Amino acid sequence: PITPGELLCLGSSLAFSGLFYYLYRRKARVVTRIQEAPKLQVDDNLPILVSAAAGRCLPYVALEGIVLPAKAALTSHYHEGLQGVIQKLLLKEHRLVWNSLARSW
């Protein structure tokens, strides 16, 4: 005989498994789109391509080219000869919703 507690555990286990599988598949689709992203070169044609795209935005593209630092390149303290630059990050929020619990937008 199966007890109600066992049924509850089985049901919650199936629900969590379904939820995690759904999240996994959603992230797998994003990873596939990123891996299949077109590779573009950083050159004079890039601004023309961006302005011709719908919404002036190219979703999921890989840019290849030489990056020059604005001031000075960052050098690694742990690996000799390894340099890098900081990407300028622009965060654009699409909508603001008031959170009454945290009292913030």
Side-chain angles (χ1 to χ4, degrees):
I2 298 175
T3 63
E6 291 173 341
L7 283 176
L8 178 67
C9 289
L10 178 65
S12 63
S13 175
L14 288 174
F16 279 122
S17 295
L19 173 69
F20 292 139
Y21 182 71
Y22 167 76
L23 294 173
Y24 165 76
R25 293 299 305 159
R26 196 170 82 181
K27 296 299 178 183
R29 274 185 257 136
V30 172
V31 168
T32 303
R33 285 183 62 193
I34 291 173
Q35 288 175 343
E36 295 173 352
K39 294 180 181 176
L40 302 176
Q41 295 292 327
V42 177
D43 56 6
D44 295 334
N45 296 331
L46 187 61
I48 298 168
L49 287 172
V50 172
S51 63
R56 296 181 49 169
C57 179
L58 296 173
Y60 298 122
V61 296
L63 295 177
E64 296 178 339
I66 297 174
V67 177
L68 299 174
K71 294 183 181 176
L74 301 173
T75 57
S76 175
H77 296 286
Y78 305 106
H79 301 283
E80 271 188 46
L82 188 62
Q83 293 183 336
V85 295
I86 296 177
Q87 175 185 1
K88 183 178 179 182
L89 181 65
L90 174 66
L91 177 65
K92 179 180 176 184
E93 292 191 34
H94 296 285
R95 65 177 187 174
L96 293 175
V97 178
W98 176 254
N99 185 347
S100 61
L101 183 63
R103 298 197 181 276
S104 67
W105 287 98

